[in-house]
Amino acid sequence: MDSSGATLIKSGMLWMLVFWLLSLVLYAPVFVWLERTWRSELDYSHGYFVLPFSCYILWIRRHSFVFSVVSRRWLLVGCGLLAAGQVTRLLGIFSHILWFEGLSLLVFLPGFTAIFLGRAG
């Protein structure tokens, strides 16, 4: 791989990290609400295991991820899902229903994945 390809891969990972950190900041109130729910309701106490288990699965499959320029179709799908997730979150914010904000994560995260890990070309 030439140096421009390596730079592209590094910049793609850098953008993904920046976007991930920004998402964590924006969704901080939702994560606080989720943690409170996991702590107080026994039916949802397994929520603490979801992130470590997901990270373990991602670590096992880390070699299958390709950081490259994604195709326009995956970029459009990802942006559409991100927009739908944010509309759902705004609906939750303005209606004061935290459940919608949590639901928006289920739309937002696949959009994030499509943008950064979608198929190339």
Side-chain angles (χ1 to χ4, degrees), residues 86-99:
Q86 291 308 304
V87 167
T88 306
R89 182 156 188 257
L90 287 174
L91 179 66
I93 289 171
F94 290 125
S95 66
H96 301 289
I97 301 174
L98 284 173
W99 187 82

Side-chain angles (χ1 to χ4, degrees), residues 15-16 24 41-42 47 54 73 85 90 96 98:
W15 279 110
M16 186 171 87
L24 285 176
E41 297 184 30
L42 291 177
S54 300
R73 180 177 61 116
L90 287 174
H96 301 289
L98 284 173

Side-chain angles (χ1 to χ4, degrees), residues 19 23 27 74-89 104-105 107-116:
F19 194 77
S23 300
Y27 274 95
W74 282 104
L75 187 62
L76 290 174
V77 166
C79 287
L81 287 171
L82 288 180
Q86 291 308 304
V87 167
T88 306
R89 182 156 188 257
S104 72
L105 275 171
V107 180
F108 181 83
L109 290 176
F112 177 84
T113 304
I115 288 175
F116 288 103

Side-chain angles (χ1 to χ4, degrees), residues 7 11 20 34 39 44 58 67 71 88 95 97 99 102 115 117:
T7 305
S11 67
W20 182 249
L34 283 172
R39 186 173 10 103
Y44 297 106
L58 289 173
F67 292 96
S71 69
T88 306
S95 66
I97 301 174
W99 187 82
I115 288 175
L117 298 176

